Amino acid sequence: MSKLQDDAFRDSIGTINEEGKRSWIFPKKTSGKFFKYRVIVSWFLLTFLILAPFVKINGNQFLMFNVLERKFNIFGFTFWPQDFHIFVISMLIGVIFVALFTVVFGRIFCGWICPQTIFMEMVFRRIEYWIDGDRNAQIKLDKQEWNAEKIKKRLLKWFAFFVISFIIANVFLAYLSGSNELIEMVEQGPANNIGTLIALLIFTAVFYFIYAWFREQVCIIACPYGRLQGALLDDKSIIVAYDYVRGERETGRGKVVKGENRETVGKGDCIDCKLCVNVCPTGIDIRNGTQLECINCTACIDECNIVMDKVGLPLGLIRYASEEEITKKAKFEFTPRMKGYSAILVILTGIFIGMLFLRNDVEATVLRLPGQLFEHKGENISNVYTYKIVNKTTKDFNDVHFKLADPKGEAKKVGAAHFKVPKEGMISGTLFIEINPAFLNGDKTKITLEVYDGNRLIETETTNFLGPRSFN
Ligand code: SF4
Ligand code: SF4
């Protein structure tokens, strides 16, 4: 914490004025080294985000989160409700990965990877700059009376925002219901898919509200991740930080005085131009220290570096640094907490990969019908079972049938013995198993049932078979 700062700034947030009303943020356009890198990363991620539901691997959508049908595709692997444990582990890995990154690099995720930041800063904000101009022009336009120019600009901006929101809603739907379904619905036309059209318009309205009005408040008020910062960050975390030791020195910040050696007179290197504040999309002053509103977007780093360059002072007054680096000139250190998170991450990733490759493409469940004992059928003993076969692949199984592998006996399915299990589908039914008492080991015998598709064994299932005690 800066020796000059007090905590009064924490009593209010930059987006709410003294009357408790929304204080609109007009961030200045950014440029600079980090911005250029962020543009590259953002366009790469945007391309990925938009294309991922349309890319197929072995016929599976690359990414899909079909909550209604409880079917999820991650990197082309299909996860069914039966694979929920693997899905949970993949989510845990994601959470720990983000937590580890937060401990080490602060909110790097928010500034560089979060879709909210990318859409807001790299898509909607760019359109806004294009139509309304930079910060000063935007402030002027906001204050000005409604006239032809303002109406034209506002209508153009709202229309552009609506179109982009509608596109995002379509991509969102491709993630939720699958890109094939989306393409099919587009081909059939909106009149034949009124329900989907209404859902799309609701999503569009939500995205429009977020990007046209709610904006940075998502990060400040709504996002739970931002709230975790207090628990995850420590003095060793590398965050976007103002070097207050250098920026303030003995006498504090101050304007540039020609010919003055700031270090000799004890003046800080911050020239108090407030450009780092003007450029901030969440409306904070980074010079007050770490704040949960800071999304680590690096705009203030770029802007301050431009200023430092202009006035001939060293760059990096605002930079990626830890509190310890600023106060003690300490080098980066891999702390026990980071080691702990890394170890958990490695272990979970190992378990996840193992589970992924050991996972079956077919899931068969054979359970004895509850409440039923056994029946005599001629010379044999018969038990009744229910079965469920899930085909997780993208190919139909056309000739599925059961065989009792051990002990000797017969598996008799109710209905046709050979049946079809469609791709990504599930078939359930009833099955009788008949075994000669000579092959039973008392009142409870372990049996092995095999499931074939044609000649190919696709699953083996073991269960219990009940028989009379006298055959012990
Ligand atoms: S941009 Fe740099 S010099 Fe200007 S106020 Fe911010 S920290 Fe100080
Ligand atoms: S303080 Fe700097 S890094 Fe943080 S949100 Fe504002 S501009 Fe971005």
Side-chain angles (χ1 to χ4, degrees), residues 240 276 279-282 284 286 293-301:
V240 172
C276 55
V279 89
C280 178
T282 59
I284 58 166
I286 188 71
E293 292 96 325
C294 176
I295 54 167
N296 274 221
C297 72
T298 69
C300 53
I301 300 184

PDB file of all heavy atoms in Angstrom, residues 240 276 279-282 284 286 293-301, ligand 2:
ATOM      1  N   VAL A 240      -1.096  -5.971 -11.938  1.00  0.00           N
ATOM      2  CA  VAL A 240      -0.823  -4.650 -12.518  1.00  0.00           C
ATOM      3  C   VAL A 240      -0.726  -3.691 -11.328  1.00  0.00           C
ATOM      4  O   VAL A 240      -1.684  -3.516 -10.585  1.00  0.00           O
ATOM      5  CB  VAL A 240      -1.955  -4.225 -13.479  1.00  0.00           C
ATOM      6  CG1 VAL A 240      -1.761  -2.787 -13.924  1.00  0.00           C
ATOM      7  CG2 VAL A 240      -1.997  -5.156 -14.678  1.00  0.00           C
ATOM      8  N   CYS A 276      -3.713   7.455 -16.611  1.00  0.00           N
ATOM      9  CA  CYS A 276      -3.954   6.060 -16.202  1.00  0.00           C
ATOM     10  C   CYS A 276      -5.372   5.899 -15.669  1.00  0.00           C
ATOM     11  O   CYS A 276      -5.960   4.816 -15.762  1.00  0.00           O
ATOM     12  CB  CYS A 276      -2.933   5.608 -15.168  1.00  0.00           C
ATOM     13  SG  CYS A 276      -2.844   6.677 -13.739  1.00  0.00           S
ATOM     14  N   VAL A 279      -7.947   6.180 -18.780  1.00  0.00           N
ATOM     15  CA  VAL A 279      -7.929   5.047 -19.706  1.00  0.00           C
ATOM     16  C   VAL A 279      -8.576   3.792 -19.094  1.00  0.00           C
ATOM     17  O   VAL A 279      -8.873   2.836 -19.796  1.00  0.00           O
ATOM     18  CB  VAL A 279      -6.446   4.797 -20.100  1.00  0.00           C
ATOM     19  CG1 VAL A 279      -5.764   3.846 -19.139  1.00  0.00           C
ATOM     20  CG2 VAL A 279      -6.317   4.327 -21.506  1.00  0.00           C
ATOM     21  N   CYS A 280      -8.816   3.849 -17.787  1.00  0.00           N
ATOM     22  CA  CYS A 280      -9.261   2.636 -17.079  1.00  0.00           C
ATOM     23  C   CYS A 280     -10.724   2.305 -17.375  1.00  0.00           C
ATOM     24  O   CYS A 280     -11.613   3.113 -17.124  1.00  0.00           O
ATOM     25  CB  CYS A 280      -9.058   2.808 -15.581  1.00  0.00           C
ATOM     26  SG  CYS A 280      -9.642   1.380 -14.667  1.00  0.00           S
ATOM     27  N   PRO A 281     -11.011   1.105 -17.876  1.00  0.00           N
ATOM     28  CA  PRO A 281     -12.407   0.758 -18.210  1.00  0.00           C
ATOM     29  C   PRO A 281     -13.291   0.507 -16.996  1.00  0.00           C
ATOM     30  O   PRO A 281     -14.504   0.391 -17.140  1.00  0.00           O
ATOM     31  CB  PRO A 281     -12.254  -0.529 -19.039  1.00  0.00           C
ATOM     32  CG  PRO A 281     -10.970  -1.112 -18.625  1.00  0.00           C
ATOM     33  CD  PRO A 281     -10.079   0.017 -18.218  1.00  0.00           C
ATOM     34  N   THR A 282     -12.679   0.400 -15.799  1.00  0.00           N
ATOM     35  CA  THR A 282     -13.532   0.249 -14.611  1.00  0.00           C
ATOM     36  C   THR A 282     -13.517   1.522 -13.761  1.00  0.00           C
ATOM     37  O   THR A 282     -14.070   1.548 -12.657  1.00  0.00           O
ATOM     38  CB  THR A 282     -13.119  -0.961 -13.746  1.00  0.00           C
ATOM     39  OG1 THR A 282     -11.771  -0.794 -13.327  1.00  0.00           O
ATOM     40  CG2 THR A 282     -13.235  -2.262 -14.508  1.00  0.00           C
ATOM     41  N   ILE A 284     -11.129   3.228 -12.143  1.00  0.00           N
ATOM     42  CA  ILE A 284     -10.402   3.348 -10.869  1.00  0.00           C
ATOM     43  C   ILE A 284      -9.054   4.038 -11.061  1.00  0.00           C
ATOM     44  O   ILE A 284      -8.572   4.189 -12.177  1.00  0.00           O
ATOM     45  CB  ILE A 284     -10.180   1.969 -10.197  1.00  0.00           C
ATOM     46  CG1 ILE A 284      -9.405   1.025 -11.124  1.00  0.00           C
ATOM     47  CG2 ILE A 284     -11.467   1.377  -9.726  1.00  0.00           C
ATOM     48  CD1 ILE A 284      -8.867  -0.203 -10.440  1.00  0.00           C
ATOM     49  N   ILE A 286      -5.400   3.387 -10.267  1.00  0.00           N
ATOM     50  CA  ILE A 286      -4.507   2.288  -9.863  1.00  0.00           C
ATOM     51  C   ILE A 286      -3.497   2.771  -8.821  1.00  0.00           C
ATOM     52  O   ILE A 286      -2.941   1.974  -8.062  1.00  0.00           O
ATOM     53  CB  ILE A 286      -3.790   1.687 -11.105  1.00  0.00           C
ATOM     54  CG1 ILE A 286      -2.996   0.406 -10.782  1.00  0.00           C
ATOM     55  CG2 ILE A 286      -2.851   2.692 -11.748  1.00  0.00           C
ATOM     56  CD1 ILE A 286      -3.807  -0.769 -10.480  1.00  0.00           C
ATOM     57  N   GLU A 293     -11.843  -3.865  -8.305  1.00  0.00           N
ATOM     58  CA  GLU A 293     -12.379  -3.421  -9.607  1.00  0.00           C
ATOM     59  C   GLU A 293     -11.360  -3.598 -10.726  1.00  0.00           C
ATOM     60  O   GLU A 293     -11.717  -3.598 -11.897  1.00  0.00           O
ATOM     61  CB  GLU A 293     -12.749  -1.931  -9.562  1.00  0.00           C
ATOM     62  CG  GLU A 293     -13.925  -1.590  -8.662  1.00  0.00           C
ATOM     63  CD  GLU A 293     -13.462  -1.129  -7.289  1.00  0.00           C
ATOM     64  OE1 GLU A 293     -12.433  -1.660  -6.799  1.00  0.00           O
ATOM     65  OE2 GLU A 293     -14.117  -0.262  -6.711  1.00  0.00           O
ATOM     66  N   CYS A 294     -10.074  -3.720 -10.384  1.00  0.00           N
ATOM     67  CA  CYS A 294      -9.036  -3.801 -11.418  1.00  0.00           C
ATOM     68  C   CYS A 294      -9.091  -5.163 -12.112  1.00  0.00           C
ATOM     69  O   CYS A 294      -8.927  -6.201 -11.483  1.00  0.00           O
ATOM     70  CB  CYS A 294      -7.657  -3.582 -10.800  1.00  0.00           C
ATOM     71  SG  CYS A 294      -6.352  -3.798 -12.024  1.00  0.00           S
ATOM     72  N   ILE A 295      -9.298  -5.133 -13.408  1.00  0.00           N
ATOM     73  CA  ILE A 295      -9.380  -6.394 -14.165  1.00  0.00           C
ATOM     74  C   ILE A 295      -8.039  -6.721 -14.842  1.00  0.00           C
ATOM     75  O   ILE A 295      -7.975  -7.578 -15.721  1.00  0.00           O
ATOM     76  CB  ILE A 295     -10.523  -6.360 -15.208  1.00  0.00           C
ATOM     77  CG1 ILE A 295     -10.392  -5.140 -16.130  1.00  0.00           C
ATOM     78  CG2 ILE A 295     -11.877  -6.381 -14.521  1.00  0.00           C
ATOM     79  CD1 ILE A 295     -11.279  -5.212 -17.359  1.00  0.00           C
ATOM     80  N   ASN A 296      -6.997  -6.031 -14.463  1.00  0.00           N
ATOM     81  CA  ASN A 296      -5.645  -6.286 -15.006  1.00  0.00           C
ATOM     82  C   ASN A 296      -5.624  -6.200 -16.535  1.00  0.00           C
ATOM     83  O   ASN A 296      -5.026  -7.058 -17.200  1.00  0.00           O
ATOM     84  CB  ASN A 296      -5.137  -7.656 -14.537  1.00  0.00           C
ATOM     85  CG  ASN A 296      -4.469  -7.581 -13.165  1.00  0.00           C
ATOM     86  OD1 ASN A 296      -3.455  -8.203 -12.922  1.00  0.00           O
ATOM     87  ND2 ASN A 296      -5.025  -6.791 -12.257  1.00  0.00           N
ATOM     88  N   CYS A 297      -6.271  -5.173 -17.057  1.00  0.00           N
ATOM     89  CA  CYS A 297      -6.364  -5.077 -18.516  1.00  0.00           C
ATOM     90  C   CYS A 297      -5.103  -4.481 -19.143  1.00  0.00           C
ATOM     91  O   CYS A 297      -4.978  -4.460 -20.361  1.00  0.00           O
ATOM     92  CB  CYS A 297      -7.586  -4.265 -18.911  1.00  0.00           C
ATOM     93  SG  CYS A 297      -7.401  -2.518 -18.584  1.00  0.00           S
ATOM     94  N   THR A 298      -4.231  -3.937 -18.324  1.00  0.00           N
ATOM     95  CA  THR A 298      -2.926  -3.360 -18.741  1.00  0.00           C
ATOM     96  C   THR A 298      -3.028  -2.015 -19.475  1.00  0.00           C
ATOM     97  O   THR A 298      -2.011  -1.478 -19.894  1.00  0.00           O
ATOM     98  CB  THR A 298      -2.092  -4.323 -19.639  1.00  0.00           C
ATOM     99  OG1 THR A 298      -2.735  -4.458 -20.906  1.00  0.00           O
ATOM    100  CG2 THR A 298      -1.901  -5.682 -19.016  1.00  0.00           C
ATOM    101  N   ALA A 299      -4.261  -1.483 -19.594  1.00  0.00           N
ATOM    102  CA  ALA A 299      -4.396  -0.201 -20.308  1.00  0.00           C
ATOM    103  C   ALA A 299      -3.594   0.896 -19.611  1.00  0.00           C
ATOM    104  O   ALA A 299      -2.971   1.739 -20.269  1.00  0.00           O
ATOM    105  CB  ALA A 299      -5.873   0.179 -20.401  1.00  0.00           C
ATOM    106  N   CYS A 300      -3.612   0.878 -18.273  1.00  0.00           N
ATOM    107  CA  CYS A 300      -2.895   1.935 -17.539  1.00  0.00           C
ATOM    108  C   CYS A 300      -1.375   1.760 -17.684  1.00  0.00           C
ATOM    109  O   CYS A 300      -0.636   2.755 -17.677  1.00  0.00           O
ATOM    110  CB  CYS A 300      -3.310   1.966 -16.075  1.00  0.00           C
ATOM    111  SG  CYS A 300      -3.174   0.385 -15.250  1.00  0.00           S
ATOM    112  N   ILE A 301      -0.906   0.516 -17.840  1.00  0.00           N
ATOM    113  CA  ILE A 301       0.540   0.301 -18.059  1.00  0.00           C
ATOM    114  C   ILE A 301       0.937   0.981 -19.353  1.00  0.00           C
ATOM    115  O   ILE A 301       1.894   1.771 -19.406  1.00  0.00           O
ATOM    116  CB  ILE A 301       0.883  -1.208 -18.159  1.00  0.00           C
ATOM    117  CG1 ILE A 301       0.506  -1.965 -16.892  1.00  0.00           C
ATOM    118  CG2 ILE A 301       2.358  -1.397 -18.490  1.00  0.00           C
ATOM    119  CD1 ILE A 301       0.904  -3.436 -16.917  1.00  0.00           C
TER     120      ILE A 301
HETATM  121  S1  SF4 B   2      -6.341  -0.150 -13.105  1.00  0.00           S
HETATM  122 FE1  SF4 B   2      -5.243  -0.473 -15.014  1.00  0.00          FE
HETATM  123  S2  SF4 B   2      -5.176  -2.674 -15.305  1.00  0.00           S
HETATM  124 FE2  SF4 B   2      -6.702  -2.226 -13.725  1.00  0.00          FE
HETATM  125  S3  SF4 B   2      -8.621  -2.144 -14.866  1.00  0.00           S
HETATM  126 FE3  SF4 B   2      -7.864  -0.049 -14.709  1.00  0.00          FE
HETATM  127  S4  SF4 B   2      -6.655   0.243 -16.553  1.00  0.00           S
HETATM  128 FE4  SF4 B   2      -7.000  -1.928 -16.368  1.00  0.00          FE
END
